[in-house]
Amino acid sequence: MTLTVLMNAGPWLSVPPPGYGGIENVVATLVPELRRLGVRVVLASVESSTLPVDEKIAVFPDGQFHALQRPYNQVCGVSQAHLSGVVRALHARDDIDLVHDHVEAVGLATLAAMGPDAPPALHTLHWDLAKHPELYGNLDGGDRVRVNGVSASQLARAPEALRAHAVGHVHLSTPLAVDADRHASVAKGDHVVILGRINPGKGQDLGARLAHEAGFPLVLAGPVGPYHRPEDLAAAGDEARQNPDVRFFHDHVAPYVDGDRVRWVGTVAGRDRDDLVASARALLFPLRWEEPGGTAVVESLALGTPVVATARGCLPELVEHGRTGLLTGVEEELGDLVLAAGGLEPDECRREAARRFTPARMAQRYLELYERVRQGAAQPLQPA
């Protein structure tokens, strides 16, 4: 029997995204492999999504990421409008075997509130679980709604009520890992990259300061709030400072950005991103939070670039210290580790990525969880 899954990617960015987009990239990586395995996928996203699927559900014509960090009273209806469209579709049809949800907080709450007649649901936790203690600490999805983490460390920090609904964790993957162990080496430069949205948890301010102190060239690649290019942020003027990530950038990162030792290049995607990372001495993660998933980590390994990071969150699960990267619990040691990263072997990084982080491996693991969730909807399921 063909399995039909409603994949709820949310209203914030198209799938695949036009550059930055962690969750949307995960969905874009997972769906083709599920369909290759015979799963029929109904994608709930925005109309501009171009990912090949069997059907698409959309409320908004395009991604609403520009509104994501506006005041709550201006943006609170976006996710609810999207979820209302999902609920209408679930009420109107009887062919959905399972909902795989990726929408923070409101996706889980809505699915749990739908009652016993709704399809079984798996909600993937992509974020810091300390953000919504009342929701996660009091979750009651019955036997129909389950959750999974994107790392073991993420679930280990979850409230008891959330862990009781967990069916396991699935590490993130990247298409770059496919046959990564067969790829030729890329000539390495001296530069180091921090890849990702610029915000306090990612620690770009710390990385920029250490670049000046330790003497390595650093490239910051990622958006600042909704602004993907330096010229877009410059044109936005003072009004942009209402966004907390923009304030963080101006107050704590920009003083180090001199265009020489430290450069901010905005969002880099596709081949340009791959070339930037593959030729880097290291990818740096000066984390100030418990990173739950680490897409950029597995991408870096697949491209043959070792990871230098604060040993927080999922990093010790993804990176083998001394082989595929260098980890420390002391922030001030990161600069020295960056300089030492050139002694690590890029081929080891690629071999590890090809072994552990392919889309096929992620899809097979999710098929296993789908079956556990569907079984649990019929009878009580012991947590993983």
Side-chain angles (χ1 to χ4, degrees), residues 37-250:
L37 293 170
V39 177
R40 187 170 180 273
V41 176
V42 179
L43 177 66
S45 179
V46 294
E47 190 60 43
S48 58
S49 290
T50 59
L51 183 72
V53 292
D54 297 282
E55 291 184 58
K56 185 165 61 178
I57 297 169
V59 171
F60 294 96
D62 206 351
Q64 301 298 299
F65 187 78
H66 61 278
L68 188 56
Q69 291 184 318
R70 289 178 181 171
Y72 177 77
N73 63 351
Q74 296 179 19
V75 73
C76 63
V78 174
S79 286
Q80 285 83 348
H82 174 84
L83 263 296
S84 292
V86 171
V87 170
R88 286 194 298 272
L90 292 175
H91 283 317
R93 55 196 298 168
D94 61 4
D95 63 328
I96 302 299
D97 297 306
L98 180 136
V99 179
H100 188 174
D101 180 70
H102 301 266
V103 178
E104 183 174 0
V106 67
L108 177 60
T110 300
L111 292 168
M114 286 190 69
D117 295 332
L122 176 66
H123 174 82
T124 296
L125 301 156
H126 291 275
W127 34 80
D128 180 2
L129 302 184
K131 290 171 66 176
H132 311 293
E134 291 79 16
L135 172 64
Y136 295 143
N138 297 283
L139 178 65
D140 183 3
D143 296 323
R144 186 181 57 79
V145 177
R146 298 287 165 175
V147 304
N148 76 276
V150 289
S151 65
S153 64
Q154 181 196 37
L155 286 181
R157 296 188 303 274
E160 182 177 351
L162 193 63
R163 287 201 307 272
H165 288 75
V167 289
H169 71 275
V170 183
H171 286 142
L172 301 178
S173 72
T174 173
L176 297 169
V178 178
D179 294 330
D181 53 336
R182 301 181 182 181
H183 294 168
S185 297
V186 174
K188 292 292 186 181
D190 291 331
H191 68 279
V192 175
V193 179
I194 300 181
L195 189 66
R197 182 165 63 93
I198 294 178
N199 65 34
K202 301 290 186 181
Q204 284 91 348
D205 58 325
L206 171 61
R209 174 171 64 81
L210 293 175
H212 284 278
E213 293 177 358
F216 58 85
L218 177 65
V219 179
L220 306 175
V224 174
Y227 305 103
H228 290 272
R229 302 182 303 169
E231 53 266 37
D232 295 337
L233 179 58
D238 291 340
E239 182 179 345
R241 292 181 69 94
Q242 295 180 23
N243 183 292
D245 286 351
V246 173
R247 288 198 301 273
F248 169 73
F249 176 77
H250 280 305

Side-chain angles (χ1 to χ4, degrees), residues 354-373:
R355 184 178 71 87
R356 297 180 60 197
F357 302 126
T358 62
R361 181 169 178 141
M362 180 172 69
Q364 186 59 52
R365 176 65 174 146
Y366 270 116
L367 279 183
E368 295 169 3
L369 295 194
Y370 291 169
E371 184 59 28
R372 292 200 74 207
V373 173

